Amino acid sequence: MKFQAIKGVRDILPPESELWNRVEQAAREVFATYGYGEIRLPIFEPTELFARSVGLDTDIVSKEMYSFEDRSFLAREEIRDFASFAEFVAGAERAFKAGEIPQTSNNASALGEMVRYRDELAKEFRGADPTKGGKDLGDFTNQLVRPYKLLGPVFALQMGPSLSLRPEATASVVRAYIEYGMHTRPGNVKLYYIGPMFRRERPQKGRYRQFYQIGAELLGPSDHAALDAEVIEMLLAFFSRVNLTSAKLYINSIGDKNCRPAYVERLRAELQRVREKLGADSQRRIETNPLRVLDSKLPEEQPIIDKLPHIADCLCDSCREHYEELKRQLALRKIEYQENWRLVRGLDYYMRTTFEITAPGLGSQNAVCGGGRYDGLVELLGGPAATKGIGFAIGTDRLMLSLQEAGAAAKCALDVYIAWMGVQAYPAAVALARKLREHNFSVELPPQEMKFGKSLSLADRLGARFAVIVGEDELAARQFTVKRLADGDQRRLPESDLLEYLTSSRTA
Ligand code: HAM
């Protein structure tokens, strides 16, 4: 059997990973200049955290999460006969009492049913002992009707909390913010994260099931639009640091809980009138979340959507003022943007500012970053009501695709290949390799002696910048021969000069 990475999941190999490291390092450096510190978050969290924050009706939560029951020591699979069933029931009762499996009413009734069956069976079969008049219960698998009835409650029993691989990280950051009482810290709390996220989407170019994000969140008492603008400025400073050119910024305001509900109702009413002309997805969304209809990419729905009311015309005074201030603040920073009234984003926690950045070379999955304001989220998850939040997440996979499309390539990492000849030369080669590595050169040292020509050809194929030759002549002269592989320039140097030569060639 040949193993392969599962669908939608991939490996990032060297030298490409070197490019990833450079990009992530640039994010660390740029974000630090804006006062952000790194938060390392868990990969999985209670499913409920995402359901509450991202929203039950969103695609992410309703269809795309990798969720599992974090089950206790009990193994359903081992129930084969009466004895193992009775053992399972006793274990489940114990675990339920100890709180090791969730003490929910569903679990209480499933457990009650199992206890009833166990007692019924025990009476009927009396331990399956024929001398006591008991029948042989036999294997469950041979008894078609009873096992189903019996295993129903076994499978209804939730043996642990439901956990999910994180589909995004804003919810986790807010959870941690509340958990560690970070609202007591002075000023704004500014955090960034780098790592994998998981969504069961249909894989295609720029869309994976395990993908990576570089994200940042700012939490604090103020909702001033200057903060929104500064977050966007930081994001663009990062893009410019990694040479992502022609990124386009789109902004919108989706109002708050005072003005959005009226807009949503207006939208719903308008959509009802054109219901018959819409596709199945949009029809469903009229009820569940009319805003999401604005996200539709179906060509035949576009003329209909174009005629729908714009949220900008429905904003309350404070949201309108916030949005105007955002635009002033962006202009002040000389940040170019385009307004897109349809930019509503696919997560429920947003309010007021939303934004997205697109990059070239990505086909249909061209959003390289998405973000926005989420002032009510801290309160929704049980934290202090006064805390506001804004942030973004960059899709690193897409950023890398766009950079590679524009010609970014990983540099060859190998500085020196040591070609040694003759067993006497080996100790000197080992010592030299260690010395060069101490000075931060990347060095390849073959474990066995090789013919000179073969050795140099390998150095070439590995893309080494220099080959250092250590042979009998060099040992006798206490010198090394160094060959620059790009042009064949060759010289003989003592160790100290060799170090100097290599160092100067690095900075050249
Ligand atoms: P999001 O728009 O769901 O927002 O994701 C942000 C970015 O992650 C997208 O623009 C895209 O580049 C990338 N992305 C999403 N799904 C995939 C995928 N399946 N494959 C590859 N890349 C993908 C959020 O996640 C919010 N938490 C952002 C945020 C932070 N808002 C406020 N703070």
Side-chain angles (χ1 to χ4, degrees):
M1 177 165 177
K2 217 163 136 194
F3 289 106
Q4 283 185 329
I6 55 179
K7 202 173 153 203
V9 162
R10 68 215 175 104
D11 305 287
I12 296 149
L13 312 175
E16 197 195 342
S17 50
E18 204 256 329
L19 207 54
W20 280 66
N21 285 337
R22 269 196 345 238
V23 163
E24 289 174 349
Q25 184 53 25
R28 292 176 195 284
E29 286 168 15
V30 173
F31 295 175
T33 64
Y34 284 80
Y36 284 71
E38 183 176 10
I39 180 166
R40 299 204 177 195
L41 298 160
I43 298 286
F44 53 88
E45 298 266 13
T47 302
E48 185 61 22
L49 174 68
F50 302 115
R52 275 233 229 152
S53 46
V54 176
L56 266 179
D57 290 330
T58 58
D59 285 352
I60 296 178
V61 170
S62 66
K63 301 191 228 162
E64 298 170 359
M65 280 209 295
Y66 286 96
S67 301
F68 58 97
E69 190 183 86
D70 185 25
R71 30 186 266 185
S72 57
F73 52 92
L74 299 169
R76 296 181 177 111
E77 294 72 22
E78 279 165 23
I79 302 178
R80 287 174 312 271
D81 50 22
F82 177 68
S84 51
F85 174 63
E87 211 172 289
F88 179 86
V89 177
E93 277 184 296
R94 252 197 322 274
F96 184 78
K97 274 193 200 118
E100 287 162 14
I101 60 178
Q103 290 170 329
T104 57
S105 57
N106 275 356
N107 270 357
S109 77
L111 202 51
E113 239 175 287
M114 286 191 303
V115 168
R116 242 188 340 275
Y117 280 130
R118 179 198 55 198
D119 295 347
E120 242 172 60
L121 285 169
K123 233 187 269 157
E124 190 175 337
F125 297 107
R126 267 168 247 133
D129 183 351
T131 60
K132 294 184 190 146
K135 287 189 265 176
D136 182 10
L137 179 65
D139 217 314
F140 271 8
T141 48
N142 295 329
Q143 311 211 0
L144 286 177
V145 182
R146 194 176 344 246
Y148 283 117
K149 205 169 144 197
L150 203 148
L151 291 178
V154 170
F155 280 96
L157 192 72
Q158 191 199 339
M159 296 208 281
S162 172
L163 304 183
S164 294
L165 299 186
R166 59 182 191 190
E168 62 105 52
T170 309
S172 300
V173 170
V174 172
R175 194 257 316 127
Y177 176 86
I178 299 168
E179 188 171 341
Y180 297 99
M182 286 192 246
H183 62 281
T184 60
R185 295 188 180 190
N188 291 315
V189 171
K190 301 179 187 180
L191 302 165
Y192 75 86
Y193 47 85
I194 294 177
M197 309 290 155
F198 305 85
R199 296 183 193 174
R200 193 186 283 105
E201 292 194 82
R202 199 168 43 78
Q204 64 181 80
K205 181 182 174 189
R207 189 157 78 188
Y208 310 99
R209 292 182 164 183
Q210 174 172 339
F211 62 98
Y212 294 78
Q213 283 187 347
I214 298 174
E217 313 289 349
L218 181 147
L219 294 130
S222 167
D223 61 359
H224 199 290
L227 295 173
D228 307 36
E230 199 187 64
V231 160
I232 292 173
E233 179 193 303
M234 173 170 95
L235 182 55
L236 296 176
F238 163 68
F239 281 150
S240 127
R241 176 77 66 95
V242 298
N243 296 322
L244 181 80
T245 48
S246 26
K248 272 213 179 95
L249 168 68
Y250 297 90
I251 61 167
N252 190 24
S253 173
I254 56 165
D256 64 7
K257 56 177 187 290
N258 298 316
C259 52
R260 194 172 31 197
Y263 173 70
V264 171
E265 277 325 306
R266 221 179 120 186
L267 201 58
R268 186 174 274 137
E270 293 288 326
L271 288 168
Q272 288 291 12
R273 296 193 320 141
V274 291
R275 184 182 193 96
E276 296 315 312
K277 297 189 194 138
L278 297 169
D281 275 350
S282 291
Q283 288 198 4
R284 189 169 37 79
R285 288 181 174 141
I286 298 178
E287 271 80 48
T288 57
N289 192 350
L291 280 178
R292 300 279 290 136
V293 175
L294 304 183
D295 267 351
S296 159
K297 303 232 162 43
L298 283 183
E300 57 276 23
E301 290 185 347
Q302 302 311 309
I304 305 170
I305 294 173
D306 284 341
K307 295 201 198 79
L308 292 171
H310 289 204
I311 189 154
D313 303 327
C314 305
L315 294 179
C316 59
D317 288 346
S318 56
C319 285
R320 186 176 308 115
E321 174 46 32
H322 191 272
Y323 190 41
E324 291 308 317
E325 181 62 21
L326 169 67
K327 290 189 270 184
R328 269 196 296 277
Q329 290 280 346
L330 290 174
L332 175 86
R333 290 170 168 79
K334 302 197 170 39
I335 293 173
E336 283 177 30
Y337 59 84
Q338 232 170 291
E339 291 178 74
N340 176 3
W341 70 277
R342 288 174 58 176
L343 185 64
V344 291
R345 316 260 309 120
L347 303 91
D348 280 357
Y349 49 61
Y350 290 114
M351 52 110 49
R352 292 192 173 166
T353 310
T354 55
F355 57 92
E356 232 164 61
I357 291 180
T358 61
L362 293 174
S364 64
Q365 303 301 315
N366 66 350
V368 75
C369 172
R373 180 161 279 290
Y374 48 86
D375 291 348
L377 184 58
V378 172
E379 186 182 10
L380 182 73
L381 296 182
T387 307
K388 322 282 191 222
I390 173 135
F392 63 80
I394 298 159
T396 320
D397 307 78
R398 294 185 191 175
L399 173 60
M400 300 310 297
L401 276 173
S402 189
L403 291 177
Q404 284 165 319
E405 202 95 354
K411 285 191 305 242
C412 166
L414 185 59
D415 296 310
V416 175
Y417 181 94
I418 299 185
W420 58 275
M421 272 139 298
V423 279
Q424 313 89 303
Y426 187 59
V430 169
L432 178 67
R434 176 175 300 180
K435 184 81 170 212
L436 293 177
R437 285 169 178 151
E438 277 167 11
H439 284 79
N440 246 343
F441 290 103
S442 111
V443 177
E444 184 67 23
L445 176 70
Q448 281 167 314
E449 188 174 7
M450 281 161 79
K451 290 227 170 64
F452 187 64
K454 243 183 154 180
S455 210
L456 281 194
S457 132
L458 180 58
D460 221 23
R461 281 182 291 130
L462 288 173
R465 294 170 55 230
F466 294 96
V468 172
I469 298 148
V470 191
E472 274 171 32
D473 290 355
E474 282 80 8
L475 278 186
R478 296 176 155 271
Q479 289 194 331
F480 298 103
T481 302
V482 54
K483 181 172 178 179
R484 191 162 59 205
L485 292 172
D487 59 4
D489 174 90
Q490 190 163 313
R491 52 190 81 188
R492 228 183 215 203
L493 300 169
E495 188 182 287
S496 57
D497 291 358
L498 173 69
L499 262 172
E500 205 169 292
Y501 171 68
L502 292 175
T503 307
S504 67
S505 86
R506 182 157 53 185
T507 49

